Amino acid sequence: MNVEMTVNGKTVKADTSPSLLLSDFLRENLNLTGTHVGCDTSQCGACVVHIDGVSMKSCTLLAVTVDGKSVTTIEGLARTANADLHPMQLAFHHNHGLQCGFCTPGMIMSAVDFAKRTPNPTEGDVRHWLEGNICRCTGYQNIVAAVLAGAAAMQAQAGG
Amino acid sequence: MNVHTGIGASILRKEDRRFITGKGNYVADIKRPDMVMGVFLRSPHAHALIKGIDIKVAAALPGVAAIFTGADLAADKVGGLPCAWGVSNADGKPMKEPPRSAMAVDKVRCVGDAVAFVIADTVEQAREAADAIEVDYEVLPAVVGVLDAIRPGAAAVFDDIPDNTCFDWECGDAKATAAAFKNAAHVAKISLVNNRLVGNPMEPRAAVAEYDAGRDHYTMWTTSQFPHVVKVLMGNFVLNIPQHKLRIVAPDVGGGFGVKQFLYAEEIITTWASRKVGRPVKWVNERSEGFLSDAHGRDHVSEAELALDETGKFLGLKVRTVANMGGYLSTFGPNIPTNLYGLLLAGVYTTPAIHCEVKGVFTNTVPVDAYRGAGRPEATFLLERLVDVAASEMKIDKAEIRRKNMIDASQYPYQTPVIVKYDSGDPKACLEKALEDSDWGGFAKRKEESKARGKLRGIGLCTYVEACGLAPSRIVQSLGARAGIFESATVRVHVTGDVTVLIGTHNHGQGHETTFAQIVSEKLSIPADKIEIVFGDTDRVQFGLGTYGSRSLAVGGTALAKATDKIIAKGAKIAAHMLEAGEGDIVFENGSFAVQGTDRSKSFGDVVGAAYGLVNFPVDVLEPGMEAQAFYDPVNFTYPGGAHIAEVEIDPECGSVDLVSYIAVDDIGTVINPMIVAGQLHGGIAQGVGQALFENCVYDETSGQMLSASFMDYCMPRADNMPNMEIVTLSTLCTHTSFGVKGCGEVGTIGSPATVINAVVDALSHLGVSHVDMPATPSRIWRIIHNSANQLRAAE
Ligand code: FES
Ligand code: FES
């Protein structure tokens, strides 16, 4: 089946099988391996990307269902901030919000969408939102701190 | 140097950038030209004879390149998976060590045992073909629980081991312990289960193997915590590949927690198959497949007794544990419930007599091996639960009973009655700090406040000690290790003065690229960003034993410091020549080599330049270049320890346990990077909290099916299950490592299960509850509350 979508600002056309998952399409066909696969039951969130700006688990979507849409992966995130790094990426770095880094792209993509929806989040808001993302390394404490800091930085950027 | 990037600086991690931008290079990301994909067909039965495997239909399906079974491996003389640690029975006889073929040949011994490896152009094709393979099984009765497995008449996992017993190990002094119990004023008892866990690093295991026929050479990329050990075990013991023809690369690895420190069948089969099919072969575990094929952790059933005098002093400790080995012996399996468990049972207490018996038992389950903490969380859980039981039975404050029995700082080095000798520590200081920071004394008030809201509040305390920093080769070999354990590091100073470090440990989240750079930065006074840390590639790093057991900094970091010392010594030689001074007169300070007592000096850069520039260099007495290697084998383990305190609130209506506060006071020796240490503690505590409250690997007792084989059924902590934790570190110095470092990777996981369960039991103590098995799930707690309430009512 033919699909056409925009991935990180570039138009992508492909002839894919109807059963191909978006996560596999990104990783295998486009070599965008920043999107990770950590489970087969849509529980871990390592695969989160943005579809038309909304965070989604790319392992639960078929590539063909994204036809005509715009996809942003971790590799394209900085573009949306017009900077070397997105404020949320920087916040994860500054707050030691990652250890092995495997959950990190999914966490960051999820957090960016959250921060857009929730301009002045509380710690409880963050913990609640991150329910769909598992991190086995950090105990979440620094991830929560990173998301709060990233959200504040995004807010400041939007305001400024 | 403008910014301090050495010891004690919380500098940001050098490795972060590639991870936050999606540029990490994990094994599943690797592609090779002409690569084919492998899929394992795994047994759906826990215990069955393989009567036949028919691959005809499957082999003819589109895209299929090859299908291999255990018989093919055997025909090609592929060896079995070796066990790297043997233990002895109490009578001195060696443990039973049945052979373990890389792929099942005539019998499967757990659900998930691999029976065929299918290779095709795509994963989908390989899966379809695997589905089309016909295996004729004769299903046998299975045993799952350890107590069932040692009952007379239980099904035998191995025909020639009818009692399913791998070993009957003991440590300590049975006679002295029996005598201590005779003199006891009180004996506290407990029976408990240490639940089976699945490590579940977020990155599933994977392997990519490429055979180069032109060079007769293999490269295998794998998710491993110790690539050199994979190279030795697999090359030398299984596939018979000379070491110089085998390269193992463990690039970015997405968490390990012990699970990735074993030699796995998939690594062997993928590597072997790459030669057979003449194309690179890639295999990536699916998560539910990982549940069935990653080695598991814990799984003990224990009974323990503590003898006390009338004042609450511990006189003796008796422990009997039955430990599950699973269906086969994993790489370090026998070492975990013996040496890493029994030898830590003294804890931080002065108990004079200890006796521990451990029976290792085969069952039809996934093999059990080291998982974060490995043996030490089990020892701590047992001991600290028992101490709480003793305290409440004798009506002594839980802090007081610990204080009374603790080893005093002045008693170090402290010889325990179970072989190990703690070099340094101050458990009382940790305890007092934790009591103070947690406002232990103010708990009653908080309990009242909770009660007013209809909640049951409990406080839990745990103290612990850990033996880590594996090495001491002499000691570990006396305990059954079949090789030496040490570490190596090479410091390569480039012509420009930039430094590359090649180290044998592996970084999979611990922040080594930053911490190790800080060590070199401290010693050479150069900024950490001029230092690159290379690991995980056996072609680049000469040798190393990898990362597990919190050994990286204590053993690897010390090797690195020693290699750096050799660089400084070489530099001093060169500087002496340049400054026309005696070598003994040169001191290295603040990045310069100076003639003592003068203002004549040469900068590090000048000296490095001379080492490569060879201007007027007396090459007959001084070798050019600037590179040094050191191997380090310490004299003892390191012994981090500490005290943790947690408070929980239980909702009696639904049984849910809310962890409301957690304080960890840990003595981990010198801290190189406080930010990284806090992160390690957070993660470690979360994993222990996971065991205490959520995680449980459950098998159906009759069929041997795993009932918790996905993230839907195996519950791990998520962001809203964890509180913000308070991390405090104290530092008594380890006496034999560089800078006195001890290690911190596992301490959180060692202290937290007992801390949390002690708090849960405390919250329920008014109901007469003295123990709660892990995990303390809402349904378990709800049932306890209701049963006790009914009992109380009946008694009234
Ligand atoms: S891989 Fe998508 S949720 Fe786990
Ligand atoms: S950083 Fe390793 S899983 Fe989150």
Side-chain angles (χ1 to χ4, degrees):
Chain A
M1 281 173 88
N2 287 322
V3 287
E4 182 173 336
M5 59 181 99
T6 310
V7 179
N8 298 334
K10 267 193 246 149
T11 305
V12 174
K13 290 185 198 171
D15 182 13
T16 73
S17 104
S19 63
L20 186 69
L21 297 173
L22 177 61
S23 49
D24 287 337
F25 178 69
L26 295 170
R27 291 179 52 82
E28 304 302 329
N29 296 37
L30 305 183
N31 285 318
L32 293 169
T33 53
T35 298
H36 295 156
V37 176
C39 73
D40 37 34
T41 50
S42 291
Q43 305 286 308
C44 78
C47 62
V48 171
V49 299
H50 292 174
I51 312 289
D52 290 339
V54 177
S55 59
M56 302 251 189
K57 289 179 172 170
S58 64
C59 74
T60 55
L61 292 169
L62 297 172
V64 290
T65 62
V66 187
D67 191 37
K69 303 200 165 144
S70 163
V71 180
T72 306
T73 70
I74 189 74
E75 289 93 341
L77 183 65
R79 275 178 60 103
T80 64
N82 285 323
D84 175 38
L85 291 173
H86 188 280
M88 193 60 81
Q89 288 172 314
L90 269 176
F92 270 71
H93 177 50
H94 287 145
N95 290 279
H96 187 29
L98 61 150
Q99 290 185 21
C100 77
F102 195 79
C103 73
T104 312
M107 285 283 179
I108 292 177
M109 297 310 284
S110 184
V112 168
D113 184 21
F114 165 74
K116 278 196 237 153
R117 294 167 191 240
T118 321
N120 293 301
T122 64
E123 184 194 320
D125 295 337
V126 177
R127 289 190 182 274
H128 187 68
W129 174 267
L130 290 181
E131 227 180 42
N133 294 72
I134 302 177
C135 174
R136 193 57 158 164
C137 298
T138 61
Y140 302 101
Q141 187 154 330
N142 290 345
I143 291 180
V144 172
V147 176
L148 287 169
M154 282 170 63
Q155 178 84 344
Q157 201 177 56
Chain B
M1 184 169 53
N2 303 327
V3 186
H4 175 63
T5 57
I7 309 284
S10 281
I11 60 169
L12 297 178
R13 296 201 322 171
K14 290 154 65 72
E15 51 263 69
D16 283 358
R17 190 177 170 93
R18 63 182 187 274
F19 299 130
I20 57 176
T21 55
K23 297 281 190 259
N25 180 33
Y26 299 92
V27 176
D29 302 341
I30 290 169
K31 285 183 186 165
R32 305 299 301 167
D34 204 26
M35 185 172 82
V36 279
M37 305 299 294
V39 161
F40 284 93
L41 177 66
R42 296 183 182 276
S43 167
H45 305 294
H47 198 190
L49 296 175
I50 301 173
K51 297 289 201 187
I53 302 178
D54 185 351
I55 62 164
K56 256 192 262 60
V57 175
L61 288 175
V64 175
I67 298 177
F68 299 113
T69 65
D72 297 313
L73 294 166
D76 217 33
K77 301 211 168 27
V78 173
L81 275 87
C83 178
W85 205 301
V87 301
S88 301
N89 294 329
D91 63 9
K93 293 207 181 93
M95 66 178 191
K96 297 266 171 51
E97 200 172 345
R100 178 187 187 188
S101 50
M103 195 139 61
V105 180
D106 42 23
K107 197 182 190 195
V108 289
R109 292 188 173 83
C110 59
V111 172
D113 233 355
V115 293
F117 188 49
V118 183
I119 296 170
D121 290 335
T122 69
V123 176
E124 290 70 35
Q125 289 168 335
R127 268 193 213 124
E128 258 161 51
D131 285 345
I133 295 174
E134 301 263 357
V135 186
D136 182 10
Y137 291 107
E138 180 187 326
V139 178
L140 303 171
V143 282
V144 168
V146 281
L147 298 185
D148 291 333
I150 51 175
R151 271 194 196 113
V157 179
F158 293 93
D159 293 340
D160 52 350
I161 310 178
D163 62 356
N164 288 319
T165 300
C166 175
F167 56 79
D168 248 316
W169 179 90
E170 69 168 351
C171 70
D173 188 334
K175 255 204 213 131
T177 308
F181 274 78
K182 280 217 181 82
N183 298 326
H186 182 81
V187 174
K189 294 185 187 167
I190 198 164
S191 304
L192 54 79
V193 172
N194 205 298
N195 46 323
R196 177 182 280 243
L197 301 179
V198 183
N200 279 319
M202 289 315 297
E203 176 206 29
R205 287 191 299 117
V208 176
E210 181 168 27
Y211 175 67
D212 177 346
R215 292 195 296 145
D216 182 29
H217 182 277
Y218 299 79
T219 302
M220 198 248 307
W221 292 263
T222 177
T223 49
S224 176
Q225 299 175 219
F226 61 0
H228 282 93
V229 185
V230 169
K231 175 167 152 161
V232 174
L233 289 179
M234 183 175 87
N236 201 31
F237 292 93
V238 186
L239 291 178
N240 208 5
I241 302 169
Q243 292 286 292
H244 62 283
K245 291 187 175 295
L246 177 59
R247 174 186 180 198
I248 307 291
V249 187
D252 287 328
V253 169
F257 317 120
V259 170
K260 293 173 180 166
Q261 65 154 320
F262 317 121
L263 175 64
Y264 279 104
E266 294 89 349
E267 294 171 317
I268 294 166
I269 296 166
T270 310
T271 305
W272 172 81
S274 72
R275 176 170 58 83
K276 285 302 228 189
V277 298
R279 294 168 71 180
V281 179
K282 177 173 183 170
W283 162 80
V284 180
N285 223 352
E286 287 199 5
R287 179 59 59 181
S288 16
E289 190 185 4
F291 274 92
L292 303 176
S293 61
D294 291 357
H296 293 175
R298 321 288 192 247
D299 206 346
H300 285 191
V301 177
S302 297
E303 279 176 5
E305 294 173 62
L306 182 65
L308 304 97
D309 73 10
E310 59 287 343
T311 71
K313 263 255 179 225
F314 305 164
L315 302 174
L317 173 67
K318 243 192 272 182
V319 177
R320 263 182 304 148
T321 291
V322 190
N324 205 334
M325 293 286 101
Y328 304 95
L329 291 182
S330 177
T331 313
F332 299 117
N335 181 43
I336 312 306
T338 52
N339 299 304
L340 290 183
Y341 171 72
L343 304 192
L344 274 301
L345 282 169
V348 289
Y349 306 120
T350 55
T351 318
I354 296 176
H355 185 238
C356 169
E357 294 172 295
V358 182
K359 198 189 270 287
V361 171
F362 292 113
T363 61
N364 294 113
T365 61
V366 169
V368 178
D369 206 320
Y371 164 60
R372 202 169 191 173
R376 294 149 292 182
E378 295 92 309
T380 303
F381 184 70
L382 177 124
L383 184 61
E384 291 296 299
R385 286 275 41 250
L386 187 54
V387 168
D388 258 22
V389 168
S392 67
E393 286 176 355
M394 294 186 74
K395 304 211 172 0
I396 305 175
D397 176 74
K398 286 164 190 156
E400 187 50 33
I401 198 168
R402 288 178 168 86
R403 198 180 273 132
K404 188 189 273 291
N405 285 286
M406 270 181 170
I407 306 164
D408 191 77
S410 63
Q411 289 171 279
Y412 286 84
Y414 185 84
Q415 176 65 56
T416 71
V418 275
I419 302 178
V420 293
K421 186 175 185 174
Y422 308 148
D423 65 325
S424 72
D426 189 353
K428 285 183 182 165
C430 294
L431 175 66
E432 298 307 334
K433 178 75 179 144
L435 293 173
E436 183 190 317
D437 286 9
S438 66
D439 186 18
W440 180 264
F443 174 70
K445 194 156 156 248
R446 296 193 291 281
K447 192 177 172 78
E448 280 308 308
E449 283 161 9
S450 296
K451 201 172 166 191
R453 283 182 284 110
K455 301 283 171 66
L456 306 172
R457 196 177 184 102
I459 191 165
L461 164 62
C462 162
T463 61
Y464 73 91
V465 66
E466 169 187 12
C468 67
L470 271 81
S473 295
R474 189 177 50 81
I475 300 179
V476 295
Q477 283 174 331
S478 76
L479 298 174
R482 289 169 172 167
I485 305 182
F486 48 84
E487 202 42 84
S488 87
T490 300
V491 176
R492 180 174 297 159
V493 184
H494 301 282
V495 189
T496 53
D498 300 319
V499 174
T500 296
V501 170
L502 307 145
I503 194 151
T505 60
H506 190 278
N507 179 20
H508 35 279
Q510 298 89 344
H512 293 176
E513 288 162 62
T514 307
T515 306
F516 288 160
Q518 287 181 263
I519 291 178
V520 178
S521 168
E522 176 80 23
K523 293 196 76 94
L524 295 182
S525 297
I526 54 176
D529 61 12
K530 283 174 73 88
I531 303 156
E532 183 203 20
I533 309 296
V534 173
F535 61 91
D537 182 341
T538 62
D539 264 15
R540 294 191 72 188
V541 179
Q542 193 231 335
F543 198 71
L545 276 299
T547 286
Y548 44 87
S550 301
R551 68 187 300 278
S552 299
L553 184 57
V555 192
T558 304
L560 174 56
K562 288 188 181 304
T564 314
D565 284 338
K566 291 186 182 177
I567 292 289
I568 295 170
K570 172 91 182 267
K573 265 196 181 135
I574 297 171
H577 162 69
M578 293 170 81
L579 295 162
E580 294 175 344
E583 203 183 308
D585 294 332
I586 303 290
V587 285
F588 182 63
E589 253 170 25
N590 300 325
S592 289
F593 295 90
V595 182
Q596 214 161 7
T598 74
D599 58 359
R600 289 161 53 221
S601 71
K602 288 285 173 193
S603 73
F604 182 70
D606 287 345
V607 168
V608 174
Y612 288 100
L614 307 182
V615 182
N616 274 336
F617 216 64
V619 285
D620 48 340
V621 290
L622 207 48
E623 271 181 49
M626 203 61 147
E627 174 164 323
Q629 183 175 33
F631 282 71
Y632 177 63
D633 188 355
V635 294
N636 195 354
F637 300 106
T638 70
Y639 298 96
H644 291 194
I645 293 179
E647 290 187 26
V648 298
E649 260 189 359
I650 294 177
D651 184 342
E653 299 294 317
C654 62
S656 70
V657 179
D658 188 13
L659 180 60
V660 290
S661 73
Y662 200 100
I663 291 174
V665 179
D666 298 291
D667 173 7
I668 54 169
T670 297
V671 172
I672 308 284
N673 184 318
M675 175 196 82
I676 288 176
V677 163
Q680 292 284 297
L681 261 297
H682 294 158
I685 291 166
Q687 277 179 319
V689 170
Q691 173 169 27
L693 297 181
F694 311 107
E695 297 179 35
N696 206 13
C697 179
V698 186
Y699 279 94
D700 179 79
E701 272 171 35
T702 35
S703 67
Q705 293 295 327
M706 196 192 295
L707 304 176
S708 54
S710 80
F711 284 164
M712 303 224 271
D713 313 292
Y714 185 92
C715 177
M716 299 200 297
R718 293 179 187 249
D720 55 1
N721 300 128
M722 292 299 300
N724 276 319
M725 299 156 256
E726 184 185 329
I727 307 299
V728 181
T729 48
L730 302 181
S731 302
T732 65
L733 301 187
C734 172
T735 55
H736 56 84
T737 58
S738 276
F739 314 111
V741 299
K742 291 184 177 176
C744 70
E746 299 165 289
V747 298
T749 315
I750 293 170
S752 49
T755 306
V756 172
I757 293 298
N758 280 350
V760 169
V761 173
D762 184 56
L764 302 176
S765 59
H766 63 291
L767 298 168
V769 172
S770 61
H771 179 65
V772 173
D773 270 326
M774 301 186 286
T777 55
S779 67
R780 187 169 271 175
I781 298 295
W782 188 87
R783 237 174 284 137
I784 288 172
I785 291 174
H786 281 259
N787 291 343
S788 339
N790 289 340
Q791 277 167 18
L792 287 180
R793 255 196 304 276
E796 269 163 19

